[in-house]
Amino acid sequence: MSRLRIVCLGEAMVELSLDRDHPETARIGFAGDTLNTAIYLKRMAGDAEVAYATKIGSDQLSDRMLSLMASEGLATHLVHRSPNALPGLYAISTDERGERSFQYWRDTSAARRMFEAPGLTLAELAEHDVLYFSAISLAILPPEHRRDLIDWLPDYRARGGRVAFDSNYRPALWPDVETARTTIAETWRRTDIGLPSLDDEMALFGDDSEDAAFKRLRDYGLRTGALKRGEKGPHALSGEPAGPFDPAQRMVDSTAAGDSFNGAYLAAHLSGLPEADCLQAGHQLACRVIGLRGAIIPREEVVPA
């Protein structure tokens, strides 16, 4: 049996973690929604190849970013380099309850140009069995490149590829709500594995209840994946019962809660585990991640002994 090949598409960013107790200091790291998922997916996916697809700069921070990806076992052959653009940057702080606040500098990031030549091509993505991306991946692209990607998805699926998608809705990245709503709804209809968050879906589509959001997602044709509901635990898009889901023991930093859920869920699902086990895997990892600071927790914390 050939090795499963997965590609995660998106933006890797420089992360400045601000210290609430020492405002003059910050820790430098590297993260981004789909990069976080790629790392957790690789940690839990065994022998599967997990590639990351993006464009970064040719600067020293980009060099370090690339080294991090390689150290996590990600395939980096689809990480293209720009000679004149830098990676995006964001600063993150957390309050005493672990809730996050962000400031971004990403308007001219190299990732926005990932499909500009020389750069990433759809043919390179087509070489993989599974493509994972998010609404952030779509939002940062120029409209013509976004259109090309969405239009290409039916052919990719017809050839046996599977699409996994997370509607990670960030209003500031979109020109208007209607563009975001239309784009994300269209992408849901071309998705095999859905990983939406309830709060994002309700904020974007105006659903008046969880049941309304769930029904709308099912009406798009989604039957595989999970509607993430925070501490309540996930709801299987298949409609299968699952749970109960134990609450997190502590909440220190909610960064990457959904991203880590996605990575663990996909690793379990692509390994052929039952749906209830996939949901538990995602929930349990997310609970561990929010108990520690930072988007990427130490490797030994992912699967405790």
Side-chain angles (χ1 to χ4, degrees):
M1 188 178 201
S2 60
R3 185 186 189 195
L4 186 68
R5 303 186 69 194
I6 308 161
V7 58
C8 300
L9 170 74
E11 181 178 28
M13 304 182 71
V14 179
E15 177 188 75
L16 297 180
S17 297
L18 306 182
D19 190 328
R20 190 169 64 250
D21 299 322
H22 301 89
E24 73 283 0
T25 65
R27 181 177 60 84
I28 296 177
F30 304 102
D33 68 330
T34 57
L35 177 60
N36 301 339
T37 293
I39 289 172
Y40 287 118
L41 172 55
K42 179 58 184 176
R43 288 182 179 184
M44 302 189 75
D47 292 334
E49 177 186 293
V50 180
Y52 196 66
T54 191
K55 183 178 279 189
I56 60 177
S58 298
D59 55 286
Q60 291 185 356
L61 284 174
S62 292
D63 290 342
R64 294 187 182 189
M65 184 183 292
L66 192 62
S67 294
L68 169 72
M69 295 179 197
S71 72
E72 288 287 350
L74 299 180
T76 60
H77 59 286
L78 298 184
V79 179
H80 294 268
R81 310 289 299 263
S82 169
N84 50 26
L86 299 172
L89 178 148
Y90 71 96
I92 181 171
S93 58
T94 56
D95 62 22
E96 62 278 1
R97 296 170 300 169
E99 291 298 335
R100 308 161 292 169
S101 60
F102 298 91
Q103 293 174 294
Y104 290 96
W105 297 265
R106 72 197 310 178
D107 289 349
T108 59
S109 73
R112 289 179 176 266
R113 311 176 190 180
M114 68 175 81
F115 286 105
E116 288 184 10
L120 188 64
T121 67
L122 295 174
E124 290 176 313
L125 298 180
E127 296 173 355
H128 297 78
D129 304 298
V130 181
L131 167 64
Y132 169 76
F133 62 102
S134 75
I136 292 177
S137 311
L138 294 175
I140 65 171
L141 295 176
E144 62 274 18
H145 294 163
R146 185 190 307 145
R147 184 74 262 158
D148 288 344
L149 176 59
I150 294 172
D151 288 346
W152 168 80
L153 293 177
D155 180 67
Y156 172 69
R157 297 173 74 199
R159 294 172 180 269
R162 284 181 283 175
V163 174
F165 180 64
D166 179 357
S167 56
N168 211 347
Y169 176 50
R170 298 295 179 266
L173 294 177
W174 294 92
D176 53 71
V177 173
E178 186 56 38
T179 299
R181 187 180 295 133
T182 301
T183 302
I184 291 172
E186 185 177 12
T187 306
W188 278 136
R189 293 185 178 96
R190 301 178 180 198
T191 293
D192 300 287
I193 306 168
L195 295 163
S197 293
L198 179 60
D199 53 355
D200 285 343
E201 290 294 311
M202 294 182 73
L204 178 57
F205 290 96
D207 304 306
D208 60 9
S209 68
E210 177 184 326
D211 288 345
F214 185 80
K215 180 181 183 303
R216 177 175 49 77
L217 291 163
R218 295 267 297 180
D219 287 346
Y220 293 145
L222 291 169
R223 296 294 185 273
T224 301
L227 179 61
K228 293 170 289 189
R229 305 178 299 171
E231 63 183 14
K232 288 178 63 177
H235 186 178
L237 291 174
S238 65
E240 299 174 44
F245 299 100
D246 294 333
Q249 294 183 357
R250 63 174 182 164
M251 166 80 155
V252 174
D253 181 355
S254 60
T255 306
D259 305 334
S260 58
F261 177 97
N262 294 350
Y265 176 92
L266 286 170
H269 176 76
L270 296 173
S271 297
L273 293 181
E275 185 66 6
D277 292 348
C278 300
L279 297 170
Q280 284 288 358
H283 181 76
Q284 289 171 12
L285 180 57
C287 286
R288 289 195 290 275
V289 168
I290 66 175
L292 297 168
R293 293 199 179 277
I296 306 299
I297 65 173
R299 189 176 284 105
E300 61 270 19
E301 296 285 348
V302 171
V303 184

